[in-house]
Amino acid sequence: MKTNQSKIEKLISELCPNGVEFSELGSVCNIKTGQSVNKIMIEQNKGEYPVINSGKDPLGYINIYNTENDPIGITSRGAGVGSITWYEGKYFRGNLNYSVTVIDKNILNFRYLYFILMNSQKQINELSVFNGIPALNANSLIKLKIPIPPIAIQEEIVKILNSFTELEAELKAELKRRKKQYKYYRNELLTGSKNFKVKNFEKLIKDKIVVTILPPKKLTKKYYQKTGKFPIVDQGQNLIVGYTNDQDSVLEENECVIFGDHTEAIKYINFTFAQGADGIKILKTDSKLLNAKYLYYALNVFYKKTGKYTRHFSFLKKCDLLIPPLPEQERIVSILDKFDTLVNDISIGLPAELKARRSQYEYYRGKLLTFNELKI
């Protein structure tokens, strides 16, 4: 990286020692709105071309395209207003996505422009209005000022930053493959054997192999704190939703499984915690018969979400679980823990590596794209 930066510094000292010219986006690019599109139109005209509209991911795929080799877009309305999109090849640009087309490629490199816009996300958000539906007016966007160094400098910056984005793409692809592999082995380990007993989850509860614990006190959300002695577990997707110092709401359980009645989230807990607002079931297992972590993995495979906003514990109890002997449960847990760490642990697994590389990319992007403005 030092070699590349030195080359950049050399080019800057040779080509623009006194700074670079800043221009309004509208003077170097044409900005236009895409064509009207909706899910019904996509459904009736399915095809191979992605529809890029108000999100970073395609809205769907359609049989016509209105954009080719014009990769940069900016979301004009909605929750993702101001988001920058990059999509190569042929696609359909929707009416909630501005095209940002370079007028003269000898002056402005497309990929350099993309990196500049990504680095200008804060300024673009400041140009947006958030009264009612968030919106970004094209008349405001064209006034965004961007640095335009000589094309040789732009190309060198692109070369450096592309190396970061390519590495990130490789890590994302590897993480996707590992998640697929993890899911496969989890399903095989928890459903593949015909030699283990299949037991109804409701019967496990009645036989006290799994006990539903009803704590005497639950915290309401107005008492959640950002810091505190005890973490709070509620029924959302996040494991910890807040903290408290309220000793009376604490459950000192070594291991248990949490089920959210409304969200249908299943969580494994192995620490002292406080129970959040009403709507969760806390399942403590008989550790001599059923490993709590095994139960957590098994429920994630066997329970099929209903997707309806109601209490779902009755649906959960209908699950039939494969229950092997305890040593086999522990072996399965050990294997799945390794996969889970690799694909989900943000401190040591692939997500941690991806996060580190993304932070590194953003740091160097900010460094490389900061220029002194030329004073005329």
Side-chain angles (χ1 to χ4, degrees), residues 79-196:
V81 67
S83 297
I84 316 302
T85 58
W86 175 274
Y87 220 95
E88 298 177 359
K90 298 175 181 178
Y91 63 95
F92 188 99
R93 190 188 303 278
N95 57 304
L96 301 182
N97 192 277
Y98 288 131
S99 62
V100 184
T101 308
V102 172
I103 295 172
D104 188 344
K105 295 178 183 179
N106 295 312
I107 295 175
L108 185 57
N109 179 290
F110 251 118
R111 189 67 173 168
Y112 169 82
L113 174 61
Y114 169 74
F115 288 128
I116 278 289
L117 292 173
M118 290 293 290
N119 206 51
S120 305
Q121 193 72 73
K122 182 180 178 182
Q123 295 94 307
I124 293 172
N125 287 340
E126 288 172 351
L127 294 173
S128 304
V129 293
F130 295 91
N131 297 328
I133 298 174
L136 175 61
N137 193 297
N139 290 331
S140 299
L141 183 60
I142 61 175
K143 296 176 183 177
L144 177 72
K145 295 193 74 175
I146 62 171
I148 305 180
I151 199 73
I153 294 175
Q154 295 180 40
E155 289 171 350
E156 188 61 27
I157 290 172
V158 167
K159 189 187 300 182
I160 296 168
L161 294 181
N162 270 347
S163 67
F164 282 108
T165 57
E166 286 165 7
L167 177 58
E168 184 178 328
E170 289 172 8
L171 286 169
K172 282 182 178 179
E174 177 66 12
L175 182 58
K176 186 177 181 180
R177 286 192 294 269
R178 293 296 183 183
K179 283 185 174 182
K180 186 176 181 180
Q181 188 181 35
Y182 168 42
K183 186 176 180 180
Y184 170 81
Y185 279 108
R186 188 184 66 180
N187 291 348
E188 282 293 305
L189 288 167
L190 294 169
T191 65
S193 177
K194 305 298 181 183
N195 300 322
F196 303 142

Side-chain angles (χ1 to χ4, degrees), residues 310-323:
T310 183
R311 295 188 180 275
H312 298 290
F313 195 60
S314 58
F315 294 96
L316 180 71
K317 289 192 293 186
K318 295 176 183 177
C319 289
D320 289 323
L321 305 178
L322 205 62
I323 309 294

Side-chain angles (χ1 to χ4, degrees), residues 171-230:
L171 286 169
K172 282 182 178 179
E174 177 66 12
L175 182 58
K176 186 177 181 180
R177 286 192 294 269
R178 293 296 183 183
K179 283 185 174 182
K180 186 176 181 180
Q181 188 181 35
Y182 168 42
K183 186 176 180 180
Y184 170 81
Y185 279 108
R186 188 184 66 180
N187 291 348
E188 282 293 305
L189 288 167
L190 294 169
T191 65
S193 177
K194 305 298 181 183
N195 300 322
F196 303 142
K197 294 180 180 178
V198 175
K199 294 187 179 180
N200 179 262
F201 186 54
E202 188 168 18
K203 190 173 189 306
L204 293 178
I205 295 173
K206 289 180 179 178
D207 292 344
K208 304 298 182 182
I209 294 172
V210 176
V211 181
T212 303
I213 302 172
L214 299 176
K217 186 176 181 180
K218 304 176 182 111
L219 281 173
T220 55
K221 289 186 178 180
K222 66 179 180 180
Y223 295 112
Y224 290 12
Q225 300 170 189
K226 291 185 178 179
T227 60
K229 187 176 180 182
F230 306 108

